[in-house]
Amino acid sequence: VWVLAKWQPWNYAAGLFAREEPAAPVEISDDVRLQQLLDAAGNALAKDRLVDPPGRNALELYRSALALDPESDLAQRGIDSVADKLLAEAERALKTRDMPRLASAVDAARSARPDHPRLEYYSLRLKRERERQAAANQRGR
């Protein structure tokens, strides 16, 4: 008991459990932030998270990268890839006559790249399919 009273281990133990002060926030350079956005966008693209979920999809991440660096060739090509994948989805929807999926893919592709060369074709096909369905519904009444 005398040794414990003299040594007082509780005084040393307090230092073991002391809380450290939180570190000051680290400033991230625009180059590092751009690279993080491009990496996250590439991962989202690889996982086919093209326009969903909000805030973590490839299209939004590539657009955020472009906001940091409007000249980013990687971000531009990434948006092109998103549009290409969306139009491939439109093609699959067209083959299966899945109108809601076709409309969704065409609208998303239009949002990604309104000047995409294949967009006009799918927009026209969507319009024709809607007209065909409307005519079929009229005859069915």
Side-chain angles (χ1 to χ4, degrees), residues 3-50:
V3 171
L4 284 176
K6 275 297 208 193
W7 181 40
Q8 299 177 352
W10 51 86
N11 289 336
Y12 300 106
L16 294 174
F17 300 109
R19 290 187 173 197
E20 293 183 23
E21 291 296 318
V26 177
E27 291 292 322
I28 298 176
S29 72
D30 283 348
D31 289 340
V32 172
R33 181 71 181 136
L34 177 64
Q35 191 58 50
Q36 289 174 339
L37 285 168
L38 290 171
D39 289 345
N43 287 335
L45 182 65
K47 293 177 181 174
D48 286 331
R49 291 190 329 239
L50 304 176

Side-chain angles (χ1 to χ4, degrees), residues 17-94:
F17 300 109
R19 290 187 173 197
E20 293 183 23
E21 291 296 318
V26 177
E27 291 292 322
I28 298 176
S29 72
D30 283 348
D31 289 340
V32 172
R33 181 71 181 136
L34 177 64
Q35 191 58 50
Q36 289 174 339
L37 285 168
L38 290 171
D39 289 345
N43 287 335
L45 182 65
K47 293 177 181 174
D48 286 331
R49 291 190 329 239
L50 304 176
V51 292
D52 284 319
R56 295 188 334 226
N57 63 65
L59 182 58
E60 288 182 30
L61 291 166
Y62 281 125
R63 283 181 175 163
S64 295
L66 279 176
L68 276 179
D69 180 9
E71 301 299 317
S72 173
D73 188 48
L74 288 174
Q76 291 286 351
R77 285 186 290 159
I79 290 176
D80 290 340
S81 295
V82 169
D84 289 341
K85 282 190 166 200
L86 287 167
L87 291 175
E89 177 68 20
E91 180 67 30
R92 288 188 294 276
L94 191 58

